[in-house]
C-alpha cells in the first residue's frame, strides 16, 4: 500500500512538472506622451493595473511610451484588452482604450508577417523562369 501511494505521488509530481503552459497572447500598448501628461499619469502607473494578473514590461525613452502585456488566454481580443480598467491616478480608473494611443495584437501581426513572407517566397519562386541564350 505504501508503494502505491509513493508511485501515485511520483506520477502526480511528474505530471505537474511536465505540463505545458497554455497558449499566450501578447499585446503592445502605445501611449501618446501628451495624453499621458494631460492625465498626469505614466505607462509605469498603468502597468501596476496589470502586474498582479499578467506578465508585463514597460518601455520609456525618447520614443513613445509602450507597455507589453502577455495574457494567458489565446482568445483575448484587442477590444477586450481595451475595455479593461487601468488606474491612472489615486482613485481614478478609466478604460485602457481611452488612454492608449494604439493597442496591437502581436500574435496576429506575426501571423500576417509570416503569410506575407510565404507569399513573397512563392512569387519569387514563380518568377524564376529558365532563360535560353540564343547565339546568332
Amino acid at each position: 500500500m505504501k508503494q502505491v501511494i509513493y508511485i501515485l505521488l511520483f506520477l502526480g509530481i511528474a505530471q505537474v512538472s511536465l505540463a505545458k503552459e497554455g497558449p499566450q497572447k501578447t499585446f503592445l500598448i502605445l501611449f501618446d506622451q501628451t495624453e499621458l501628461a494631460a492625465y498626469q499619469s505614466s505607462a509605469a502607473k498603468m502597468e501596476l493595473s496589470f502586474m498582479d494578473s499578467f506578465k508585463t514590461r514597460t518601455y520609456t525613452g525618447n520614443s513613445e511610451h509602450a507597455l507589453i502585456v502577455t495574457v494567458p488566454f489565446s482568445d483575448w481580443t484587442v477590444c477586450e484588452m481595451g475595455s479593461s480598467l487601468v488606474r491612472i491616478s489615486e482613485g481614478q480608473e478609466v478604460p485602457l482604450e481611452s488612454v492608449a494611443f494604439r493597442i496591437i495584437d502581436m500574435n496576429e501581426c506575426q501571423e500576417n508577417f509570416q503569410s506575407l513572407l510565404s507569399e513573397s517566397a512563392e512569387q519569387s519562386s514563380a518568377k524564376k523562369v529558365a532563360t535560353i541564350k540564343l547565339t546568332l
Side-chain angles (χ1 to χ4, degrees):
M1 184 68 180
K2 197 182 217 183
Q3 291 176 344
V4 171
I5 292 174
Y6 285 136
I7 290 173
L8 290 176
L9 181 65
F10 175 74
L11 289 175
I13 291 173
Q15 178 69 21
V16 169
S17 65
L18 297 177
K20 291 184 179 179
E21 236 181 78
Q24 297 179 347
K25 205 166 206 183
T26 304
F27 293 95
L28 172 64
I29 305 164
L30 299 174
F31 299 99
D32 187 22
Q33 293 176 354
T34 55
E35 286 184 31
L36 287 178
Y39 282 110
Q40 297 177 348
S41 187
S42 67
K45 285 183 184 177
M46 311 238 183
E47 181 184 21
L48 296 175
S49 300
F50 296 110
M51 282 182 76
D52 295 335
S53 306
F54 309 122
K55 204 178 342 176
T56 61
R57 176 166 281 165
T58 305
Y59 295 98
T60 58
N62 295 336
S63 62
E64 299 294 330
H65 293 264
L67 173 64
I68 295 178
V69 179
T70 304
V71 296
F73 337 104
S74 63
D75 59 348
W76 196 269
T77 64
V78 172
C79 293
E80 292 170 331
M81 188 66 178
S83 65
S84 59
L85 294 176
V86 292
R87 175 171 281 144
I88 57 173
S89 64
E90 283 299 318
Q92 187 178 9
E93 290 183 346
V94 296
L96 180 64
E97 61 193 11
S98 67
V99 181
F101 174 69
R102 182 95 57 224
I103 301 173
I104 301 167
D105 182 354
M106 298 299 286
N107 295 38
E108 184 178 320
C109 289
Q110 186 167 0
E111 290 170 7
N112 292 340
F113 180 68
Q114 291 299 329
S115 68
L116 285 174
L117 283 180
S118 65
E119 286 177 12
S120 66
E122 290 171 2
Q123 288 175 353
S124 66
S125 65
K127 288 182 180 178
K128 292 182 181 176
V129 178
T131 57
I132 301 171
K133 189 175 185 181
L134 297 174
T135 54
L136 298 174

